[in-house]
Amino acid sequence: MVDPEGRPVVLLVEDETSYVEALQLGLGGEGFVVRIAASLNEARAVLEGLSPDVVLLDVMLPDGSGIDFCREIRQSSDIPVIMVSARSDEVDIVLGLEFGAADYVTKPFRLRELVARMRAVMRRHEPAGDHDVITIGSLRIDSTRRSVMRASQELDLSRKEFDLLYLLASRLGQVVTREECLDALWWGQDLSDTRTLDTHVKRLRQKIEQDSGSPAHLITIRGVGFRLDR
Ligand code: CA
């Protein structure tokens, strides 16, 4: 659902006032319409009249578990859900279960990281259509299916390799800075070792380029970032 001015709508299911206030302000400033529910019951009521573009769902709520509620949402809709957990042991639970969440963040998080996550899951969720498939030479990148075909062969890309390729492809011909890549792929983690990014770029090249030693598509802009060329 998009509001009349075309802004994406987020349902924030959160009972901690400090987070609610900060996110209402922060996400509003990022162009989101923010709807608030402080409990699962309130969230159910909001969802009866509204289909948001994305749901931010706290794990521990006064009247139940966000994980159970995510399952509940899954039964009737495919709205992307990002779980918000307060402790790292909750993360283990979130990661260990298959209940249909699109992603998760751990408190405390930086707004910029959260927004990058939200935009990524919303992008993935866009309905199938021409704009979901980007063709670059013999590569065909399908963001809905999260698949990459070269000629008629499907490439075996890891989740991060796909995210990186899609990030670059969605800004074809433009430089994406290293910082933007790191933010989108490794948000909230210690980024002191940025060689991880180069390792992923190298692996991605080996999969998508005819000659990874002399890449035709995935170009390094030294000291700045990367650019994907058609
Ligand atoms: Ca809570």
Side-chain angles (χ1 to χ4, degrees):
M1 174 204 150
V2 171
D3 88 330
E5 288 173 38
R7 293 172 300 178
V9 178
V10 53
L11 171 60
L12 172 62
V13 189
E14 172 66 75
D15 60 321
E16 253 180 85
T17 319
S18 60
Y19 273 91
V20 171
E21 285 169 356
L23 286 175
Q24 197 159 25
L25 203 65
L27 293 175
E30 289 286 331
F32 288 88
V33 174
V34 185
R35 294 294 301 269
I36 312 285
S39 66
L40 297 182
N41 270 336
E42 278 183 43
R44 280 187 197 100
V46 172
L47 285 174
E48 273 177 22
L50 171 85
S51 178
D53 295 286
V54 59
V55 177
L56 291 182
L57 181 53
D58 188 27
V59 172
M60 299 281 279
L61 287 150
D63 53 350
S65 147
I67 290 172
D68 293 338
F69 189 60
C70 182
R71 286 200 187 94
E72 194 180 314
I73 292 176
R74 271 301 143 269
Q75 286 170 8
S76 57
S77 93
D78 61 352
I79 300 168
V81 176
I82 298 179
M83 301 303 301
V84 180
S85 69
R87 303 191 312 263
S88 54
D89 56 334
E90 284 178 355
V91 172
D92 294 340
I93 298 170
V94 169
L95 290 178
L97 294 174
E98 285 289 331
F99 55 93
D103 211 336
Y104 72 94
V105 295
T106 313
K107 293 173 183 174
F109 45 78
R110 289 188 301 167
L111 180 68
R112 196 166 58 143
E113 296 153 3
L114 176 66
V115 169
R117 292 272 122 184
M118 290 168 68
R119 297 217 165 106
V121 300
M122 285 163 55
R123 240 184 352 249
R124 270 184 244 149
H125 181 252
E126 279 171 12
D130 288 345
H131 63 284
D132 278 318
V133 176
I134 302 171
T135 309
I136 298 159
S138 61
L139 286 180
R140 189 174 182 281
I141 305 164
D142 185 329
S143 67
T144 310
R145 294 184 57 238
R146 285 179 69 78
S147 73
V148 181
M149 307 281 288
R150 187 167 59 194
S152 57
Q153 200 187 353
E154 181 150 7
L155 302 183
D156 183 21
L157 263 55
S158 73
R159 177 181 157 176
K160 288 226 190 294
E161 286 162 1
F162 181 88
D163 287 345
L164 178 61
L165 179 62
Y166 188 73
L167 174 68
L168 296 172
S170 62
R171 288 164 60 183
L172 200 61
Q174 300 169 33
V175 178
V176 180
T177 65
R178 294 180 62 87
E179 194 189 29
E180 287 175 297
C181 293
L182 291 166
D183 259 3
L185 272 72
W186 287 278
W187 57 279
Q189 294 175 28
D190 182 8
L191 303 179
S192 55
D193 183 10
T194 64
R195 281 171 303 180
T196 310
L197 175 59
D198 296 304
T199 306
H200 280 75
V201 168
K202 190 177 165 193
R203 282 202 210 113
L204 186 55
R205 269 199 189 116
Q206 285 163 353
K207 293 178 182 177
I208 66 168
E209 298 279 359
Q210 301 275 11
D211 175 4
S212 64
S214 165
H217 300 301
L218 208 178
I219 312 298
T220 298
I221 312 297
R222 205 169 289 279
V224 182
F226 306 95
R227 189 185 69 219
L228 199 66
D229 285 348
R230 203 181 291 278

